[in-house]
Amino acid sequence: MRTLKLNGKLIQISSSNHEVRVDKLAFGNLFWLFLGFCLVGYIFETLIAFLEFGSFQSKAGLIYGPFSQIYGIGALLSVLLYRFVRNSTHLAKFLFYSATGSIFEFSAGVLHENILGSYSWDYSSHVLSFGTGRTDILYSLVWGLSAMLIVYKVYPMVCRIYDSVGRRTTSLATLVFCTLLSADMLVKSLAVARYSEKHYGEPPSTSIEAFMDLQFPDDFMERIYPTMLFLER
């Protein structure tokens, strides 16, 4: 154990490399964890789709690049919520992460439907689905296992790698990739919002929306988001 001064108080911090260290919740560490799991999520979803349908299809969450941001956000939540279960048993941690993962996936589905009038996943046909098909028991277990792997293995490894590289290099790389990813997420938000509006027959009302129509036509959006289906109004 060692001590760290936070807000004028000395607190004890575990120096173990096998768990999340609260003194390592730095932006750079968290960002690379997020980016890594955006990529891991894309690969995972692509493989699941191939096993289910026998063909490869786009499972990208963003317009540019093989990224699925919902998995990146899930990885961040695993680390940020760890302090609430730090002193719990492994079983309690697993159950906690399984539950919070399901809540997160359910909430993301609700927001998707209510904001965009569409949905990109539906587990209603699964035997173990719940939450009106927005999640299921199997994915809850995946969330739980993934979170345990992240807090005990992956995030400590990310911290060690990040610390082993020169500060100037890591800072520059983080700035560049964070800027690019933020731009990608902004473009995705605008393009998907406009895609939804077009589906419901709404004409462009601004020059930005007109540009989105020209730059991201329906056939392009259908290739990027083949599983996005719209609700009936």
Side-chain angles (χ1 to χ4, degrees), residues 112-113 115-119 190-204 209 212-213 216-219 221-222 225-233:
H112 197 304
E113 293 177 18
I115 294 176
L116 298 174
S118 63
Y119 59 96
L190 294 173
V192 170
R194 184 59 199 139
Y195 181 40
S196 177
E197 290 175 350
K198 283 190 293 181
H199 175 80
Y200 293 112
E202 299 181 22
E209 291 183 349
M212 288 293 141
D213 288 353
F216 305 108
D218 287 353
D219 58 342
M221 297 298 290
E222 289 169 2
Y225 305 112
T227 60
M228 182 180 291
L229 300 175
F230 292 94
L231 302 172
E232 294 298 328
R233 287 184 176 178

Side-chain angles (χ1 to χ4, degrees), residues 16 62 71 98 127 156 165 168 187 213 231:
S16 170
L62 300 179
Y71 285 87
S98 295
V127 176
V165 182
R168 180 176 297 180
V187 170
D213 288 353
L231 302 172

Side-chain angles (χ1 to χ4, degrees), residues 9-119:
K9 297 180 179 180
L10 290 176
I11 60 175
Q12 289 186 320
I13 304 296
S14 170
S15 59
S16 170
N17 287 327
H18 301 294
E19 64 176 3
V20 172
R21 294 167 54 192
V22 299
D23 62 326
K24 286 296 183 181
L25 296 183
F27 177 80
N29 295 324
L30 293 173
F31 172 75
W32 287 101
L33 177 73
F34 171 78
L35 184 63
F37 269 84
C38 285
L39 178 59
V40 169
Y42 171 82
I43 296 172
F44 174 74
E45 289 284 346
T46 301
L47 290 176
I48 291 296
F50 179 78
L51 293 175
E52 185 174 355
F53 302 109
S55 61
F56 288 104
Q57 56 181 260
S58 173
K59 285 296 179 178
L62 300 179
I63 295 292
Y64 302 108
F67 303 115
S68 180
Q69 69 274 20
I70 192 169
Y71 285 87
I73 296 172
L76 288 182
L77 287 176
S78 299
V79 172
L80 296 176
L81 294 175
Y82 180 75
R83 60 178 178 151
F84 295 109
V85 291
R86 180 171 188 148
N87 297 318
S88 303
T89 64
H90 290 320
L91 178 59
K93 290 175 183 176
F94 170 74
L95 294 176
F96 172 79
Y97 281 126
S98 295
T100 54
S102 294
I103 293 171
F104 169 58
E105 188 171 27
F106 175 83
S107 301
V110 171
L111 290 174
H112 197 304
E113 293 177 18
N114 284 276
I115 294 176
L116 298 174
S118 63
Y119 59 96

Side-chain angles (χ1 to χ4, degrees), residues 142-160:
V142 171
W143 282 113
L145 289 172
S146 299
M148 295 293 284
L149 181 64
I150 289 168
V151 297
Y152 281 104
K153 296 295 182 181
V154 179
Y155 189 64
M157 180 180 66
V158 169
C159 292
R160 290 195 298 271

